[in-house]
């Protein structure tokens, strides 16, 4: 069975601030909520920061998690309000039928693959020259137009299509952020920089089986850093202020 969790994080806590600075550290503490270690199951997550007074962490897991350690470190452990809510995901999957319309939210890492990057990093240059037939390297989309184009080109592959309003497709870019942090690999450390984009809007299911797989597996790269989790809700108008 699959579960979707929502954990409230207190932005005034020191640990919460460290998670905001380093998504690898947040990924590690999320994996700590699963009892079967080392973790081999697929885990998707997203940190929603739209409410600066109370952050929301969404986590999709294949087994039922436990979040007491995360609430203790970064939430309101003595609060009367529930700090972590865990729900079975299958009821939502059962609603994903052809023609069904939903509001969606996605935090993603829009990239494309090329064999001729304009300004290759040393790592990319090494990868391209290491093989006679290189597979190419990922380059980020930085502008709003390119990021929206990336989304609209892929919605159909994911089993959806954007609804069309008076001014065109109802899928919007609502936030952009550059994430940069150190990633440790054993005794070595390297700098990771990701261009992230948050999308919202209205979509319609065109291929239920593909759509369900996209919801369960996530979309795009950067999943370990909080990218790729599509969430659905009942349809609503265009977000205010966008």
């Amino acid at each position: 069975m699959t579960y979707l969790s929502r954990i409230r994080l207190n932005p005034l806590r020191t640990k919460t601030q460290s998670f905001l600075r380093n998504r690898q550290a947040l990924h590690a503490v999320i994996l700590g909520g699963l009892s079967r270690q080392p973790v081999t199951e697929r885990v998707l997550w997203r940190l929603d920061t739209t409410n600066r007074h109370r952050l929301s962490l969404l986590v999709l897991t294949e087994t039922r998690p436990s979040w007491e350690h995360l609430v203790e470190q970064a939430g309101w452990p003595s609060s009367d309000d529930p700090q972590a809510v865990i729900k079975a995901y299958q009821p939502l999957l059962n609603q994903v039928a052809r023609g069904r319309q939903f509001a969606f939210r996605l935090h993603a890492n829009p990239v494309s693959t090329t064999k001729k990057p304009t300004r290759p990093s040393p790592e990319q240059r090494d990868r391209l020259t290491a093989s006679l037939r290189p597979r190419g390297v990922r380059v980020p989309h930085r502008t709003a137009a390119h990021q929206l184009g990336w989304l609209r080109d892929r919605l159909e592959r994911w089993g959806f299509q954007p609804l069309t309003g008076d001014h065109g497709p109802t899928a919007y870019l609502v936030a952009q952020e550059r994430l940069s942090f150190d990633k440790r690999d054993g005794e070595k450390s390297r700098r990771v920089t990701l261009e992230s984009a948050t999308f919202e809007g209205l979509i319609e299911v065109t291929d239920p089986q593909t759509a369900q797989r996209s919801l369960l597996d996530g979309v795009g790269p950067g999943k370990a850093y909080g990218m790729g989790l599509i969430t659905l809700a009942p349809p609503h108008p265009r977000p205010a202020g966008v």
Side-chain angles (χ1 to χ4, degrees):
M1 184 178 288
T2 304
Y3 298 89
L4 181 64
S5 303
R6 187 217 64 208
I7 308 102
R8 301 297 193 190
L9 301 183
N10 183 348
L12 299 181
R13 299 286 295 272
T14 301
K15 200 65 175 179
T16 304
Q17 290 298 318
S18 71
F19 292 151
L20 290 173
R21 291 190 298 268
N22 190 328
R23 300 303 169 91
Q24 186 186 27
L26 181 52
H27 179 65
V29 80
I30 288 170
L31 296 186
L34 300 170
S35 62
R36 298 175 185 174
Q37 299 284 335
V39 176
T40 57
E41 67 180 79
R42 179 263 308 123
V43 178
L44 298 173
W45 60 275
R46 184 177 78 225
L47 182 62
D48 285 340
T49 59
T50 52
N51 185 339
R52 62 188 180 91
H53 300 292
R54 184 173 63 176
L55 311 181
S56 293
L57 177 64
L58 300 176
V59 187
L60 189 68
T61 58
E62 295 176 358
T63 56
R64 188 176 180 88
S66 175
W67 303 118
E68 283 84 356
H69 69 298
L70 187 51
V71 173
E72 183 66 33
Q73 293 179 49
W76 288 269
S78 300
S79 174
D80 290 335
D81 296 330
Q83 298 299 295
V85 177
I86 304 171
K87 293 186 177 181
Y89 202 52
Q90 192 59 46
L92 173 65
L93 293 178
N94 292 342
Q95 298 180 48
V96 179
R98 189 182 304 276
R100 190 72 184 269
Q101 297 177 358
F102 295 95
F104 82 98
R105 185 176 177 87
L106 167 66
H107 186 60
N109 176 216
V111 299
S112 61
T113 302
T114 179
K115 295 181 181 179
K116 297 180 179 180
T118 304
R119 296 179 181 176
S121 66
E123 184 181 58
Q124 290 175 331
R125 192 179 296 110
D126 292 343
R127 188 177 303 174
L128 291 170
T129 57
S131 172
L132 294 176
R133 294 182 178 180
R135 298 177 59 184
V137 294
R138 290 172 176 169
V139 294
H141 293 300
R142 293 186 172 91
T143 69
H146 284 117
Q147 290 176 346
L148 274 170
W150 176 89
L151 173 72
R152 290 166 180 164
D153 287 345
R154 284 158 178 76
L155 276 173
E156 186 175 355
R157 304 182 201 174
W158 302 337
F160 303 98
Q161 67 179 8
L163 297 185
T164 301
D166 295 338
H167 302 287
T170 54
Y172 312 104
L173 174 67
V174 297
Q176 294 172 296
E177 183 181 10
R178 173 173 291 183
L179 304 175
S180 188
F181 53 89
D182 291 325
K183 178 182 179 181
R184 296 201 62 83
D185 186 7
E187 296 182 355
K188 297 182 179 180
S189 177
R190 65 183 179 89
R191 195 69 176 170
V192 175
T193 301
L194 301 172
E195 301 288 342
S196 69
T198 302
F199 304 99
E200 293 181 359
L202 301 174
I203 53 177
E204 180 178 303
V205 178
T206 55
D207 184 333
Q209 186 173 5
T210 300
Q212 290 177 8
R213 183 51 48 198
S214 298
L215 294 174
L216 290 170
D217 291 346
V219 298
K223 297 181 181 68
Y225 308 121
M227 317 284 185
L229 173 62
I230 303 174
T231 52
L232 302 180
H236 58 70
R238 178 178 178 174
V242 176

